[in-house]
């Protein structure tokens, strides 16, 4: 009887000491220079473009220019604080866009949409004629190694979507909803 009790005890210890299955563990992700779109940088680009457009096309609109400048400065401060929280080197800088894409914003047809934690973002890919080509949205997950400051979800569009497009972003946080469109391109 003593041997049976010892064997049962050893069996129980082995059973509970073994590591659990990794089936429930999230798949590790690797952010590379060419597999992500960082929403915060796109929003910063939108604010900068809005200010530049006002200064060039409506220089007498002092109130509009001051508001656009305040929005850009406030967002730059937010983005700098975010980068400081996350730490330098988490997001590798993307390479320049190919010459076939007008502008400085381009991203892959599949990858990760990154956003600040607490912000929910969706985006639509529109053709140059404003025809909807794809919609990307989802339930964000916390990005590993970002100190809880970034969230992400994966996206993928059909292979035929490439070249110049219009990127329409819907950004929702605790303060407001911002919807805007910005010219972009999908890397071939």
């Amino acid at each position: 009887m003593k041997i049976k009790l010892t064997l049962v005890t050893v069996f129980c210890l082995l059973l509970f000491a073994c590591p659990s299955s990794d089936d429930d563990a999230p798949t590790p992700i690797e952010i590379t220079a060419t597999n992500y779109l960082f929403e915060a940088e796109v929003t910063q680009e939108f604010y900068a473009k809005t200010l530049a457009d006002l200064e060039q096309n409506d220089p007498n609109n002092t109130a509009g220019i001051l508001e656009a400048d305040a929005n850009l400065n406030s967002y730059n401060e937010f983005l700098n604080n975010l980068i400081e929280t996350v730490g330098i080197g988490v997001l590798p800088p993307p390479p320049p866009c190919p010459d076939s894409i007008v502008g400085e914003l381009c991203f892959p047809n599949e990858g990760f949409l990154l956003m600040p934690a607490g912000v929910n973002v969706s985006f639509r890919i529109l053709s140059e004629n404003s025809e909807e080509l794809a919609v990307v949205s989802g339930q964000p997950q916390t990005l590993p190694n970002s100190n809880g400051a970034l969230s992400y979800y994966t996206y993928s569009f059909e292979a035929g979507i490439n070249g110049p497009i219009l990127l329409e972003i819907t950004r929702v946080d605790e303060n407001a909803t911002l919807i805007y469109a910005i010219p972009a391109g999908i890397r071939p």
Side-chain angles (χ1 to χ4, degrees), residues 110-133:
E110 66 178 19
F112 302 99
L113 176 61
L114 306 179
M115 66 208 79
V119 173
N120 198 351
V121 175
S122 62
F123 67 92
R124 293 187 324 148
I125 303 297
L126 306 172
S127 71
E128 292 176 296
N129 304 335
S130 296
E131 174 189 349
E132 185 176 283
L133 302 174

mmCIF file of all heavy atoms in Angstrom, residues 110-133:
data_model
loop_
_atom_site.group_PDB
_atom_site.id
_atom_site.type_symbol
_atom_site.label_atom_id
_atom_site.label_comp_id
_atom_site.label_asym_id
_atom_site.label_seq_id
_atom_site.Cartn_x
_atom_site.Cartn_y
_atom_site.Cartn_z
ATOM 1 N N GLU A 110 -0.203 43.031 -46.586
ATOM 2 C CA GLU A 110 -0.543 42.270 -45.385
ATOM 3 C C GLU A 110 0.490 42.584 -44.314
ATOM 4 O O GLU A 110 1.641 42.849 -44.603
ATOM 5 C CB GLU A 110 -0.638 40.771 -45.647
ATOM 6 C CG GLU A 110 0.654 40.101 -46.019
ATOM 7 C CD GLU A 110 0.462 38.599 -46.217
ATOM 8 O OE1 GLU A 110 -0.665 38.143 -46.413
ATOM 9 O OE2 GLU A 110 1.470 37.903 -46.159
ATOM 10 N N GLY A 111 0.033 42.619 -43.086
ATOM 11 C CA GLY A 111 0.944 42.943 -42.005
ATOM 12 C C GLY A 111 0.192 43.288 -40.742
ATOM 13 O O GLY A 111 -0.863 42.723 -40.454
ATOM 14 N N PHE A 112 0.714 44.273 -40.015
ATOM 15 C CA PHE A 112 0.168 44.649 -38.719
ATOM 16 C C PHE A 112 -0.208 46.129 -38.725
ATOM 17 O O PHE A 112 0.593 46.961 -39.135
ATOM 18 C CB PHE A 112 1.192 44.395 -37.610
ATOM 19 C CG PHE A 112 1.648 42.972 -37.554
ATOM 20 C CD1 PHE A 112 2.849 42.592 -38.122
ATOM 21 C CD2 PHE A 112 0.861 42.012 -36.947
ATOM 22 C CE1 PHE A 112 3.272 41.272 -38.083
ATOM 23 C CE2 PHE A 112 1.273 40.687 -36.903
ATOM 24 C CZ PHE A 112 2.476 40.321 -37.470
ATOM 25 N N LEU A 113 -1.401 46.430 -38.267
ATOM 26 C CA LEU A 113 -1.801 47.803 -38.035
ATOM 27 C C LEU A 113 -1.518 48.081 -36.565
ATOM 28 O O LEU A 113 -2.080 47.426 -35.685
ATOM 29 C CB LEU A 113 -3.284 48.017 -38.338
ATOM 30 C CG LEU A 113 -3.829 49.410 -38.027
ATOM 31 C CD1 LEU A 113 -3.119 50.476 -38.853
ATOM 32 C CD2 LEU A 113 -5.325 49.471 -38.261
ATOM 33 N N LEU A 114 -0.602 49.008 -36.298
ATOM 34 C CA LEU A 114 -0.215 49.355 -34.929
ATOM 35 C C LEU A 114 -0.893 50.658 -34.536
ATOM 36 O O LEU A 114 -1.056 51.555 -35.364
ATOM 37 C CB LEU A 114 1.297 49.531 -34.827
ATOM 38 C CG LEU A 114 2.154 48.374 -35.322
ATOM 39 C CD1 LEU A 114 3.629 48.725 -35.182
ATOM 40 C CD2 LEU A 114 1.834 47.106 -34.578
ATOM 41 N N MET A 115 -1.289 50.749 -33.272
ATOM 42 C CA MET A 115 -1.945 51.947 -32.769
ATOM 43 C C MET A 115 -1.630 52.109 -31.290
ATOM 44 O O MET A 115 -1.287 51.138 -30.629
ATOM 45 C CB MET A 115 -3.447 51.850 -32.983
ATOM 46 C CG MET A 115 -4.114 50.754 -32.162
ATOM 47 S SD MET A 115 -5.610 50.076 -32.908
ATOM 48 C CE MET A 115 -4.935 48.970 -34.116
ATOM 49 N N PRO A 116 -1.745 53.336 -30.767
ATOM 50 C CA PRO A 116 -1.563 53.511 -29.331
ATOM 51 C C PRO A 116 -2.622 52.729 -28.558
ATOM 52 O O PRO A 116 -3.763 52.596 -29.013
ATOM 53 C CB PRO A 116 -1.743 55.022 -29.129
ATOM 54 C CG PRO A 116 -1.488 55.621 -30.468
ATOM 55 C CD PRO A 116 -1.947 54.602 -31.461
ATOM 56 N N ALA A 117 -2.262 52.210 -27.399
ATOM 57 C CA ALA A 117 -3.232 51.505 -26.553
ATOM 58 C C ALA A 117 -4.358 52.470 -26.192
ATOM 59 O O ALA A 117 -4.123 53.660 -25.999
ATOM 60 C CB ALA A 117 -2.549 50.973 -25.298
ATOM 61 N N GLY A 118 -5.570 51.970 -26.123
ATOM 62 C CA GLY A 118 -6.717 52.810 -25.801
ATOM 63 C C GLY A 118 -7.325 53.495 -26.999
ATOM 64 O O GLY A 118 -8.305 54.211 -26.886
ATOM 65 N N VAL A 119 -6.739 53.295 -28.167
ATOM 66 C CA VAL A 119 -7.259 53.866 -29.409
ATOM 67 C C VAL A 119 -7.721 52.713 -30.269
ATOM 68 O O VAL A 119 -7.050 51.692 -30.368
ATOM 69 C CB VAL A 119 -6.153 54.662 -30.149
ATOM 70 C CG1 VAL A 119 -6.612 55.104 -31.511
ATOM 71 C CG2 VAL A 119 -5.706 55.842 -29.321
ATOM 72 N N ASN A 120 -8.882 52.865 -30.878
ATOM 73 C CA ASN A 120 -9.344 51.856 -31.822
ATOM 74 C C ASN A 120 -9.342 52.478 -33.205
ATOM 75 O O ASN A 120 -9.831 53.587 -33.387
ATOM 76 C CB ASN A 120 -10.732 51.335 -31.461
ATOM 77 C CG ASN A 120 -11.044 50.022 -32.151
ATOM 78 O OD1 ASN A 120 -10.297 49.582 -33.019
ATOM 79 N ND2 ASN A 120 -12.124 49.405 -31.768
ATOM 80 N N VAL A 121 -8.771 51.779 -34.154
ATOM 81 C CA VAL A 121 -8.586 52.313 -35.493
ATOM 82 C C VAL A 121 -9.123 51.320 -36.507
ATOM 83 O O VAL A 121 -8.960 50.109 -36.351
ATOM 84 C CB VAL A 121 -7.078 52.557 -35.772
ATOM 85 C CG1 VAL A 121 -6.847 52.984 -37.198
ATOM 86 C CG2 VAL A 121 -6.524 53.579 -34.812
ATOM 87 N N SER A 122 -9.758 51.842 -37.527
ATOM 88 C CA SER A 122 -10.073 51.022 -38.688
ATOM 89 C C SER A 122 -9.645 51.833 -39.902
ATOM 90 O O SER A 122 -9.500 53.052 -39.829
ATOM 91 C CB SER A 122 -11.567 50.696 -38.745
ATOM 92 O OG SER A 122 -12.330 51.862 -38.881
ATOM 93 N N PHE A 123 -9.417 51.153 -41.008
ATOM 94 C CA PHE A 123 -9.130 51.914 -42.209
ATOM 95 C C PHE A 123 -9.719 51.243 -43.429
ATOM 96 O O PHE A 123 -9.952 50.047 -43.448
ATOM 97 C CB PHE A 123 -7.642 52.245 -42.375
ATOM 98 C CG PHE A 123 -6.693 51.108 -42.621
ATOM 99 C CD1 PHE A 123 -6.367 50.717 -43.904
ATOM 100 C CD2 PHE A 123 -6.069 50.475 -41.554
ATOM 101 C CE1 PHE A 123 -5.453 49.710 -44.127
ATOM 102 C CE2 PHE A 123 -5.159 49.469 -41.768
ATOM 103 C CZ PHE A 123 -4.849 49.077 -43.067
ATOM 104 N N ARG A 124 -10.034 52.092 -44.382
ATOM 105 C CA ARG A 124 -10.565 51.625 -45.663
ATOM 106 C C ARG A 124 -9.560 51.987 -46.738
ATOM 107 O O ARG A 124 -8.965 53.056 -46.711
ATOM 108 C CB ARG A 124 -11.901 52.298 -46.000
ATOM 109 C CG ARG A 124 -13.013 51.921 -45.089
ATOM 110 C CD ARG A 124 -14.383 52.444 -45.507
ATOM 111 N NE ARG A 124 -14.398 53.752 -46.120
ATOM 112 C CZ ARG A 124 -15.273 54.121 -47.058
ATOM 113 N NH1 ARG A 124 -16.186 53.278 -47.495
ATOM 114 N NH2 ARG A 124 -15.254 55.342 -47.556
ATOM 115 N N ILE A 125 -9.395 51.079 -47.658
ATOM 116 C CA ILE A 125 -8.560 51.322 -48.823
ATOM 117 C C ILE A 125 -9.504 51.703 -49.951
ATOM 118 O O ILE A 125 -10.406 50.945 -50.302
ATOM 119 C CB ILE A 125 -7.764 50.055 -49.218
ATOM 120 C CG1 ILE A 125 -6.918 49.564 -48.046
ATOM 121 C CG2 ILE A 125 -6.927 50.303 -50.456
ATOM 122 C CD1 ILE A 125 -5.870 50.515 -47.589
ATOM 123 N N LEU A 126 -9.296 52.900 -50.494
ATOM 124 C CA LEU A 126 -10.131 53.392 -51.584
ATOM 125 C C LEU A 126 -9.275 53.565 -52.830
ATOM 126 O O LEU A 126 -8.110 53.964 -52.738
ATOM 127 C CB LEU A 126 -10.754 54.741 -51.212
ATOM 128 C CG LEU A 126 -11.539 54.794 -49.898
ATOM 129 C CD1 LEU A 126 -11.924 56.230 -49.574
ATOM 130 C CD2 LEU A 126 -12.760 53.909 -49.966
ATOM 131 N N SER A 127 -9.859 53.267 -53.986
ATOM 132 C CA SER A 127 -9.149 53.510 -55.239
ATOM 133 C C SER A 127 -9.049 55.015 -55.453
ATOM 134 O O SER A 127 -9.657 55.808 -54.721
ATOM 135 C CB SER A 127 -9.900 52.863 -56.398
ATOM 136 O OG SER A 127 -11.101 53.573 -56.651
ATOM 137 N N GLU A 128 -8.318 55.410 -56.457
ATOM 138 C CA GLU A 128 -8.200 56.838 -56.764
ATOM 139 C C GLU A 128 -9.558 57.434 -57.130
ATOM 140 O O GLU A 128 -9.752 58.639 -57.047
ATOM 141 C CB GLU A 128 -7.193 57.050 -57.892
ATOM 142 C CG GLU A 128 -5.769 56.709 -57.452
ATOM 143 C CD GLU A 128 -4.770 56.823 -58.578
ATOM 144 O OE1 GLU A 128 -4.888 56.047 -59.542
ATOM 145 O OE2 GLU A 128 -3.887 57.697 -58.465
ATOM 146 N N ASN A 129 -10.524 56.582 -57.509
ATOM 147 C CA ASN A 129 -11.890 57.024 -57.834
ATOM 148 C C ASN A 129 -12.816 56.908 -56.626
ATOM 149 O O ASN A 129 -14.031 56.942 -56.794
ATOM 150 C CB ASN A 129 -12.466 56.185 -58.979
ATOM 151 C CG ASN A 129 -11.599 56.218 -60.213
ATOM 152 O OD1 ASN A 129 -10.841 57.165 -60.408
ATOM 153 N ND2 ASN A 129 -11.691 55.193 -61.036
ATOM 154 N N SER A 130 -12.275 56.693 -55.435
ATOM 155 C CA SER A 130 -13.016 56.541 -54.175
ATOM 156 C C SER A 130 -13.868 55.271 -54.121
ATOM 157 O O SER A 130 -14.800 55.179 -53.336
ATOM 158 C CB SER A 130 -13.898 57.768 -53.907
ATOM 159 O OG SER A 130 -13.083 58.900 -53.725
ATOM 160 N N GLU A 131 -13.538 54.272 -54.917
ATOM 161 C CA GLU A 131 -14.204 52.971 -54.843
ATOM 162 C C GLU A 131 -13.572 52.175 -53.701
ATOM 163 O O GLU A 131 -12.350 52.099 -53.584
ATOM 164 C CB GLU A 131 -14.015 52.210 -56.163
ATOM 165 C CG GLU A 131 -14.541 50.805 -56.148
ATOM 166 C CD GLU A 131 -14.129 50.028 -57.402
ATOM 167 O OE1 GLU A 131 -13.615 50.637 -58.366
ATOM 168 O OE2 GLU A 131 -14.305 48.804 -57.393
ATOM 169 N N GLU A 132 -14.416 51.584 -52.834
ATOM 170 C CA GLU A 132 -13.899 50.824 -51.693
ATOM 171 C C GLU A 132 -13.274 49.515 -52.181
ATOM 172 O O GLU A 132 -13.918 48.717 -52.841
ATOM 173 C CB GLU A 132 -15.020 50.528 -50.705
ATOM 174 C CG GLU A 132 -14.527 49.842 -49.450
ATOM 175 C CD GLU A 132 -15.638 49.641 -48.435
ATOM 176 O OE1 GLU A 132 -15.994 50.628 -47.760
ATOM 177 O OE2 GLU A 132 -16.146 48.513 -48.338
ATOM 178 N N LEU A 133 -12.007 49.312 -51.830
ATOM 179 C CA LEU A 133 -11.289 48.097 -52.219
ATOM 180 C C LEU A 133 -11.137 47.124 -51.059
ATOM 181 O O LEU A 133 -11.108 45.923 -51.260
ATOM 182 C CB LEU A 133 -9.899 48.461 -52.761
ATOM 183 C CG LEU A 133 -9.870 49.402 -53.960
ATOM 184 C CD1 LEU A 133 -8.440 49.791 -54.296
ATOM 185 C CD2 LEU A 133 -10.544 48.768 -55.170
#
